[in-house]
């Protein structure tokens, strides 16, 4: 009798277990094609900002938690900032119920950047966009159950900053230069044109990196800026060169000037009295060079972490950094141009003495419209060269620049 009871009890346990297993496997599962990585450009460059999952049915947001998902960039874990539902495949639009689940990621965690710096080539490489996502818990979607999953390869990548700027190529005889341009909403009002010159790390011909290495172009194209100052934003790209000359390679700044002239000709609503120039690192040196080549063209300029270029001068080396002393004759050419230069005191790539030398030379020539912001040592961290992280977040700079009229 005891044996029969034991056997019956065993059958009941097995039956319950089977039902449980059947229930856990009877639901649906998301697949890779339902997943999208969204990137965002912040002050430190492009980062993976969210994973969006399309469940194709109503999900209740309050039933979700951060623990329901795990996200990895390659084999490195990403920090989850928030999980919510959305009616659209967009970040930052949570609703009570939606077909999309947004797994918002921490933009400042150690594994957030999409870029790897190749020290040998001295350029950034967009290498960290291979993501996986795992659903850790069963999720109710309408009248269906979506079972937890193993790690799924995220199939789609969406980069709003790249999509905002139209890709094109400038051709001048045998010379070609890729560029991206943001165009504001059409109106009868005249609008400024802002030119952004990237640094050495964004050289190439992919026509993408110049928008991803810093948040300069993204700052000027952002709704917060455009809502008060609708503007065109032009971001050309110079090709990679082993010598790292970049924008001060012979003829490159002249090509940029021809590109600017073409853009103005093609867009009749550009205000030719409000052409603004900015650049970072090698791009800042390119900006200084363009100013001296076109002293009466730009309404204002903001070179960040660069130095005034002189092809006949020798570099002065201070520790790991270097700079060129400003040429008095060049400084005199631009003494009437409004300029606001930025740099960190402890810049280890381009010495702060380059900015100080340029500003002093302009002032010695009688210039009164030049100023500089030098960030104290330790303020720009962990990379003191990246003073643009502070500068482009300075609303005073944006307000000052766009108020200048030639």
């Amino acid at each position: 009798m005891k044996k029969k009871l034991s056997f019956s009890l065993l059958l009941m346990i097995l039956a319950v277990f089977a039902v449980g297993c059947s229930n856990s496997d009877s639901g649906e599962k998301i697949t890779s094609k339902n997943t999208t990585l969204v990137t965002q450009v912040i002050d430190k460059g492009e980062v993976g900002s969210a994973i969006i999952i399309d469940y194709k049915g109503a999900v209740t947001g309050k039933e979700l938690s951060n623990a329901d998902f795990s996200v990895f960039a390659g084999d490195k874990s990403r920090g989850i900032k928030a999980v919510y539902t959305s009616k659209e495949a967009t970040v930052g639009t949570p609703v009570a119920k939606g077909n999309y689940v947004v797994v918002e990621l921490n933009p400042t965690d150690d594994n957030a950047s999409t870029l790897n710096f190749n020290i040998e080539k001295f350029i950034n490489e967009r290498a960290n966009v291979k993501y996986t996502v795992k659903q850790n818990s069963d999720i109710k979607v309408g009248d269906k159950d979506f079972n937890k999953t193993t790690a799924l390869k995220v199939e789609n990548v969406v980069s709003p900053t790249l999509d905002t700027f139209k890709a094109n190529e400038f051709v001048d005889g045998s010379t070609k230069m890729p560029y991206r341009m943001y165009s504001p909403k059409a109106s009868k009002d005249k609008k400024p044109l802002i030119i952004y010159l990237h640094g050495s790390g964004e050289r190439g011909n992919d026509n993408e990196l110049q928008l991803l290495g810093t948040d300069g172009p993204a700052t000027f194209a952002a709704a917060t800026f455009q809502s008060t100052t609708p503007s065109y934003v032009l971001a050309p790209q110079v090709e990679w060169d082993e010598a790292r000359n970049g924008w001060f390679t012979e003829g490159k700044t002249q090509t940029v000037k021809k590109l600017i002239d073409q853009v103005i000709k093609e867009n009749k609503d550009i205000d030719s009295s409000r052409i603004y120039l900015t650049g970072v690192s090698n791009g800042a040196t390119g900006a200084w060079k363009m100013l001296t080549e076109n002293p009466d063209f730009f309404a204002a300029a903001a070179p960040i972490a660069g130095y005034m270029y002189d092809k006949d001068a020798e570099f002065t080396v201070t520790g790991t950094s270097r700079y060129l002393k400003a040429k008095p004759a060049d400084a005199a050419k631009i003494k009437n141009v409004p300029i606001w230069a930025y740099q960190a005191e402890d810049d280890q790539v381009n010495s702060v003495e380059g900015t100080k030398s340029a500003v002093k030379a302009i002032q010695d020539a009688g210039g009164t419209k030049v100023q500089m912001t030098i960030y104290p040592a330790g303020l720009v961290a962990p990379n003191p060269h990246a003073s643009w992280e502070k500068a482009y977040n300075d609303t005073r700079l944006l307000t000052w620049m766009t108020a200048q009229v030639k």
Side-chain angles (χ1 to χ4, degrees), residues 294-325:
N294 309 277
D296 300 318
F297 183 76
F298 297 100
I304 304 171
Y307 43 81
M308 194 176 288
Y309 181 69
D310 179 1
K311 65 182 180 64
D312 298 319
E314 293 289 332
F315 278 104
T316 299
V317 178
T318 58
T320 62
S321 63
R322 66 179 191 173
Y323 74 101
L324 293 173
K325 291 182 179 179

Side-chain angles (χ1 to χ4, degrees), residues 288 291-292 295 308 329-339 362:
W288 283 114
L291 287 173
T292 60
M308 194 176 288
D330 284 341
K333 293 178 185 177
I334 58 175
K335 66 179 183 179
N336 295 320
V337 181
I339 299 170
I362 294 171

Side-chain angles (χ1 to χ4, degrees), residues 72 75 79 82 128 141 155-156 196 227 279 282-283 298 300 309 367:
F72 292 84
D75 60 352
N128 301 330
V141 182
E155 189 162 306
N156 310 297
Y196 169 83
S227 63
N282 182 276
F298 297 100
Y309 181 69

Side-chain angles (χ1 to χ4, degrees), residues 122-136:
F122 212 79
I123 57 171
N124 279 307
E125 295 175 340
R126 197 181 186 219
N128 301 330
V129 290
K130 295 181 179 178
Y131 271 63
T132 55
V133 61
K134 180 182 177 184
Q135 181 185 310
N136 298 322

Side-chain angles (χ1 to χ4, degrees), residues 206-383:
D206 66 319
N207 207 5
E208 292 185 352
L209 279 173
Q210 75 267 36
L211 300 183
L212 305 180
T214 78
D215 67 341
T219 296
F220 296 117
T224 49
F225 180 82
Q226 290 289 328
S227 63
T228 58
T229 314
S231 307
Y232 287 87
V233 186
L234 177 64
Q237 185 181 36
V238 72
E239 72 266 21
W240 182 86
D241 65 305
E242 190 171 358
R244 283 194 279 162
N245 288 328
W247 291 115
F248 49 86
T249 301
E250 186 66 32
K252 296 305 175 186
T253 49
Q254 289 85 352
T255 299
V256 175
K257 177 59 168 60
K258 290 179 180 179
L259 167 59
I260 295 170
D261 291 340
Q262 176 180 287
V263 167
I264 294 173
K265 185 178 180 180
E266 293 175 347
N267 298 275
K268 303 300 183 182
D269 57 339
I270 288 178
D271 186 347
S272 59
S273 69
R274 299 179 71 196
I275 310 298
Y276 305 119
L277 178 64
T278 185
V280 302
S281 191
N282 182 276
T285 299
W288 283 114
K289 187 171 183 289
M290 288 199 73
L291 287 173
T292 60
E293 292 169 349
N294 309 277
D296 300 318
F297 183 76
F298 297 100
I304 304 171
Y307 43 81
M308 194 176 288
Y309 181 69
D310 179 1
K311 65 182 180 64
D312 298 319
E314 293 289 332
F315 278 104
T316 299
V317 178
T318 58
T320 62
S321 63
R322 66 179 191 173
Y323 74 101
L324 293 173
K325 291 182 179 179
K327 189 176 180 179
D330 284 341
K333 293 178 185 177
I334 58 175
K335 66 179 183 179
N336 295 320
V337 181
I339 299 170
W340 193 342
Y342 285 77
Q343 196 156 8
E345 188 74 48
D346 51 345
D347 191 325
Q348 298 173 344
V349 178
N350 292 336
S351 172
V352 70
E353 296 303 321
T355 291
K356 291 179 177 179
S357 172
V359 171
K360 184 176 185 303
I362 294 171
Q363 291 173 337
D364 288 347
T368 60
K369 297 180 180 181
V370 63
Q371 60 185 311
M372 62 181 172
T373 294
I374 305 299
Y375 296 113
L379 186 63
V380 181
N383 177 13

